[in-house]
Amino acid sequence: MPTAITSEYTKKHALLTEIIQRRGAQAILLSTPASLAWLLDGARTHVSLAAPPIVRVLVHAEGCELATSISEAQRLQDEELTVLSSAKLHVTNWYESLDDVSAWFPEAADWKILAESEVDSELRTMRTALTATEVDRYRQLCQDTASVMTEVLSESSSDDSEFAIAAKLSAGAIAQGGEVLVALVSGSTRTDYRHPLPTQAPLGRKAMAVLCVRRHGLIANLTRWVRFAPATEEELAGEADILGVEADIISGISEGKALGELLPIIQQAYPAHGFDELEWTRHHQGGIAGFNGRDPRLAPGATDRFQANQAFAVNPSAQRDGHTFKVEDTMLFTESGAIEVLSVDPQWPTTMVNGLPRPQVLQR
């Protein structure tokens, strides 16, 4: 087991043990994809993306116990759980519940076991403070995902269907070892939809594509646009203005600031750049990123605070003059307090906004 990974697990186990002791419990049961991937070095703990994980981890002061069904045990041991090769793996029948801890680990029958839901905020704080290894993995994932966008949209045509583009984007991401969690595409006839699941509609004169891809448990989020006709003045103005909204939001980020404290900035940014003041209510505005797409979303009252080596993805979108505008990238709030755009591809056209490379519409 690599020393760096061993050290990361040891530190994460110590953090979890502190929570357990502080809550007067004996253990905590990790059961969500985000927390399992965080502790298990990015292990893939699913079979179906639409189903709960096929692993549970019971963390206690002495170490941890892993449980999975007989149909998954060998593959997990061979390919996914090398970081915890010394931990005990409890194998259940395929029809038994992994959440019935006392059935597969009788020693814990009388223990007070915390559920993730009881310590949500504390787990998010730990999960979103990324280690150096996680930052390196995240940066590579985001760059790879951005390059897929560039490759597919650079070869697209106005006659391509939304389905065809979504299929190519998904294939590219999977070929790089990713799991596609979101693949949205909207052609020019469907721009009214903020979350456009792809259809047979052609791209037309302008199209948007959104990808959210998971690898090693981390999730890259980005949006790109492509245009197949000359830009109108209204389009160019709106594209510049949505970048202005995003820049205002990013400028409000600082270490220790609560996520919800960005909301007044967002509410002022839309009208300041010529959009309707209620645009912030019509689509979510992003949030902290990492092992969940947003961990959590930026919403009224969100108390999670920005910290060093934490990823985020803000998500401003607006409609004006019959056009839709949206920008989204995964970024990192670094130890120095600087912002790094992770999901950047040097082959995609960009413009500098407040020192950050921001995507322009790809003109075909």
Side-chain angles (χ1 to χ4, degrees):
M1 193 159 39
T3 303
I5 299 302
T6 304
S7 175
E8 284 190 15
Y9 165 72
T10 301
K11 291 177 181 177
K12 290 173 180 178
H13 177 265
L15 291 170
L16 290 168
T17 300
E18 289 178 13
I19 292 178
I20 293 166
Q21 294 174 343
R22 191 161 59 244
R23 294 295 185 110
Q26 284 73 49
I28 181 171
L29 184 67
L30 300 185
S31 59
T32 66
S35 291
L36 289 167
W38 169 75
L39 182 65
L40 302 178
D41 189 35
R44 294 175 295 177
T45 61
H46 70 279
V47 173
S48 167
L49 288 171
I54 44 82
V55 178
R56 299 291 185 275
V57 177
L58 185 72
V59 181
H60 52 81
E62 303 303 317
C64 65
E65 316 289 327
L66 285 75
T68 193
S69 74
I70 191 170
S71 55
E72 311 300 335
Q74 193 61 55
R75 177 181 60 83
L76 288 170
Q77 282 184 301
D78 293 345
E79 299 178 348
E80 300 293 341
L81 300 178
T82 54
V83 67
L84 289 182
S85 58
S86 61
K88 184 176 180 181
L89 181 63
H90 302 264
V91 181
T92 72
N93 291 311
W94 61 264
Y95 51 83
E96 295 178 305
S97 172
L98 296 176
D99 295 316
D100 185 5
V101 175
S102 61
W104 52 263
F105 188 53
E107 293 92 328
D110 297 326
W111 288 7
K112 178 182 177 182
I113 300 174
L114 297 172
E116 285 198 40
S117 59
E118 297 178 78
V119 288
D120 262 348
S121 179
E122 292 159 288
L123 285 175
R124 284 199 304 269
T125 298
M126 293 189 299
R127 254 192 335 251
T128 58
L130 301 176
T131 67
T133 298
E134 290 165 348
V135 168
D136 287 343
R137 287 175 172 174
Y138 212 176
R139 184 180 290 116
Q140 189 62 58
L141 165 64
C142 289
Q143 291 173 356
D144 287 348
T145 306
S147 72
V148 168
M149 279 284 206
T150 300
E151 180 179 354
V152 172
L153 296 184
S154 294
E155 297 175 354
S156 64
S157 74
S158 61
D159 294 329
D160 286 334
S161 72
E162 296 168 349
F163 275 145
I165 296 302
K168 291 176 182 178
L169 291 171
S170 298
I174 292 170
Q176 295 174 340
E179 298 155 5
V180 179
L181 304 185
V182 177
L184 306 178
V185 182
S186 65
S188 56
T189 63
R190 301 180 65 244
T191 56
D192 285 347
Y193 306 126
R194 305 293 173 116
H195 288 152
L197 295 176
T199 71
Q200 288 285 12
L203 299 188
R205 68 176 306 277
K206 185 181 178 184
M208 178 186 75
V210 179
L211 265 181
C212 300
V213 179
R214 182 169 66 190
R215 193 170 71 199
H216 292 117
L218 296 159
I219 301 172
N221 310 276
L222 67 155
T223 297
R224 295 291 184 266
W225 291 83
V226 59
R227 181 165 38 231
F228 303 96
T232 67
E233 291 184 7
E234 291 84 0
E235 284 178 315
L236 294 175
E239 290 157 10
D241 286 338
I242 202 68
L243 292 178
V245 173
E246 182 196 52
D248 288 354
I249 299 170
I250 294 172
S251 68
I253 295 174
S254 60
E255 188 165 6
K257 190 165 193 171
L259 189 58
E261 292 182 68
L262 291 180
L263 195 56
I265 296 174
I266 293 172
Q267 292 168 329
Q268 295 168 16
Y270 282 104
H273 292 277
F275 296 114
D276 188 274
E277 63 180 6
L278 293 180
E279 282 292 358
W280 74 273
T281 69
R282 294 168 181 149
H283 185 253
H284 82 82
Q285 301 299 301
I288 295 169
F291 288 94
N292 276 319
R294 300 296 190 274
D295 205 13
R297 281 186 178 181
L298 197 169
T303 58
D304 297 66
R305 297 188 179 277
F306 285 97
Q307 54 184 326
N309 281 342
Q310 187 178 65
F312 66 93
V314 296
N315 196 33
S317 69
Q319 294 179 338
R320 190 176 70 193
D321 299 325
H323 301 285
T324 295
F325 306 98
K326 180 178 184 291
V327 63
E328 177 188 24
D329 270 299
T330 306
M331 303 185 185
L332 183 72
F333 182 67
T334 68
E335 289 183 339
S336 68
I339 304 296
E340 176 187 351
V341 182
L342 298 179
S343 51
V344 65
D345 177 19
Q347 302 305 311
W348 188 272
T350 59
T351 184
M352 298 301 292
V353 180
N354 289 356
L356 298 178
R358 305 308 305 122
Q360 294 185 305
V361 174
L362 177 65
Q363 191 72 48
R364 298 278 286 125

